[in-house]
Amino acid sequence: MSRLFGLYPRRWRVRYGDELAAVIEARPPTLRDRLDLVLGALDAHVHPELVEPAAATTRVPWGRRVSGLLASAGGIAWLTMVALAGRANERGVEEPGVVEVFWLALILMAIGLIGKDVAVHARLLGRSLAAGGILLALAFVLPWDGKVLVALPLVVLVGAGMLGLAATRARLSSGARRWIIVVGFAIPFVLLAPVGGGLYELSPWFGVPVLAPYGLAWILVGALLALRGDPTAAGRGPAPGPLEASAA
Amino acid sequence: MSGGMTEFGRFAEPSLYILVSLSDAPKHGYAIMTDVEEMTGEPLGPGTLYGALARLERRGLIEALEPIDRRRPYRLTALGATTLRAQLEGLAGFTRLGLERLGGAAG
């Protein structure tokens, strides 16, 4: 149950966490209650003004909204790539457009990450990761033999770093950010990639449970960015986490 | 739901139940949950409960009291009582109208 509490924003947990824990102890949660808590956590992220009055008066500049929408579009493109690659595997033929959609997803994620207002203390890291993502996408398009060997570790590092930074900008808590990076992407990718096949031979058990959550995470983080902007800009966000500190 | 809680979205109906629950005495979260379940026959999820409590508190319709252990009671404010009365009177009028029309159609 504590994992579900961890989905809530830190300020929300400070205000209501003890009370909610007491309620849960008094009435063991059903499956419906657990789902209700997940939806409640999502609502708490979308409406930070409920426990943080200053957030209510903060207007999100259109540039940051566009940045978030592009990040979400990158997630949708990623899911499309997974679906196309899975279909190619099922039919045993090369499905046209898989690599192009993969390229599009990385470009959209990179542009969405850079935006025009990347937080000052994370600017270097953000731009480096975004540039790496673009180069990686180009590496997949260009015809050369060793692309998979070189590109796979880059996908892991750049992809996980990009998502982690976007999660930071969307003001997900540091715990949630680490969870997204480590469990949601890097570890399963590293463990399963050698046996999972290339883009054209994507096994269903690899594509759906391993790669699809990555696209879903981008859609969620992008939606949060579009709704709430970049709270780390202009010095009104939380203290920088390890990811940003390493880039400072 | 109309009037002062339309912007609560999916939390509007649970918020009304919570206001009714608090109308006779302050209650903490678990007591509100059980009371609402007795009133409506439907369980109130913990995420929905605290999403609604946060909105009601922010709008000044309820206020938090000092916690007892980890349980924090909430009570209705004067604004909350006024809002609740207006909501219930609106619903009562709507109910009367509906029953009248239903009776007319049946007759």
Side-chain angles (χ1 to χ4, degrees):
Chain A
M1 186 51 60
S2 61
R3 290 178 190 169
L4 291 180
F5 288 169
L7 295 177
Y8 279 89
R10 185 180 59 81
R11 287 177 191 269
W12 199 98
R13 293 199 305 269
V14 169
R15 172 62 184 84
Y16 293 108
D18 280 351
E19 298 174 49
L20 186 54
V23 167
I24 297 298
E25 284 175 15
R27 191 183 82 171
T30 61
L31 183 62
R32 186 174 173 176
D33 288 338
R34 291 171 190 270
L35 179 63
D36 188 62
L37 283 170
V38 172
L39 293 176
L42 183 63
D43 171 71
H45 279 287
V46 173
H47 295 288
E49 74 277 4
L50 291 174
V51 290
E52 188 181 355
T57 58
T58 303
R59 295 188 62 185
V60 181
W62 68 268
R64 293 179 192 147
R65 290 191 189 279
V66 171
S67 176
L69 292 175
L70 287 175
S72 285
I76 293 170
W78 184 271
L79 290 181
T80 305
M81 181 273 291
V82 172
L84 287 175
R87 196 167 65 173
N89 176 262
E90 192 177 296
R91 294 180 177 178
V93 296
E94 288 195 357
E95 192 75 23
V98 175
V99 173
E100 288 76 8
V101 175
F102 176 79
W103 181 85
L104 175 67
L106 283 186
I107 292 289
L108 287 171
M109 291 170 183
I111 295 174
L113 185 63
I114 295 173
K116 66 170 188 175
D117 295 308
V118 169
V120 172
H121 55 261
R123 183 177 296 158
L124 178 62
L125 179 62
R127 287 180 177 172
S128 301
L129 291 171
I134 293 171
L135 288 175
L136 183 62
L138 291 174
F140 266 89
V141 176
L142 296 175
W144 62 296
D145 292 337
K147 66 172 74 172
V148 174
L149 286 178
V150 175
L152 196 56
L154 282 176
V155 168
V156 174
L157 292 175
V158 175
M162 282 171 58
L163 179 57
L165 187 56
T168 303
R169 294 184 60 208
R171 201 163 39 173
L172 290 176
S173 67
S174 61
R177 191 172 70 241
R178 279 194 291 273
W179 183 87
I180 287 173
I181 295 171
V182 177
V183 179
F185 186 69
I187 286 180
F189 205 110
V190 169
L191 291 179
L192 298 177
V195 292
L199 284 180
Y200 287 114
E201 300 151 354
L202 205 60
S203 307
W205 59 267
F206 176 64
V208 174
V210 179
L211 296 184
Y214 183 65
L216 291 173
W218 269 99
I219 293 172
L220 172 66
V221 166
L224 290 175
L225 274 173
L227 288 169
R228 300 196 323 211
D230 178 5
T232 57
R236 50 183 178 80
L243 195 64
E244 305 96 288
S246 65
Chain B
M1 290 298 299
S2 62
M5 291 194 287
T6 49
E7 76 273 23
F8 283 14
R10 74 176 180 92
F11 293 95
E13 194 173 320
S15 295
L16 181 62
Y17 296 153
I18 291 169
L19 290 180
V20 172
S21 177
L22 295 177
S23 60
D24 59 349
K27 293 182 183 68
H28 54 70
Y30 179 67
I32 295 172
M33 283 176 78
T34 52
D35 191 33
V36 168
E37 189 166 350
E38 284 176 14
M39 280 192 293
T40 66
E42 288 290 324
L44 181 62
T48 301
L49 170 67
Y50 277 93
L53 284 175
R55 283 165 170 79
L56 290 168
E57 192 178 6
R58 179 171 159 72
R59 280 282 307 275
L61 303 181
I62 63 172
E63 62 185 353
L65 304 176
E66 283 301 308
I68 303 165
D69 293 328
R70 289 185 301 165
R71 293 178 166 185
R72 183 188 293 275
Y74 292 87
R75 75 176 167 205
L76 208 58
T77 62
L79 176 61
T82 304
T83 303
L84 175 60
R85 185 174 297 279
Q87 293 280 315
L88 293 177
E89 286 174 354
L91 285 172
F94 182 69
T95 303
R96 277 196 301 273
L97 176 66
L99 289 173
E100 283 171 12
R101 290 188 179 185
L102 191 61

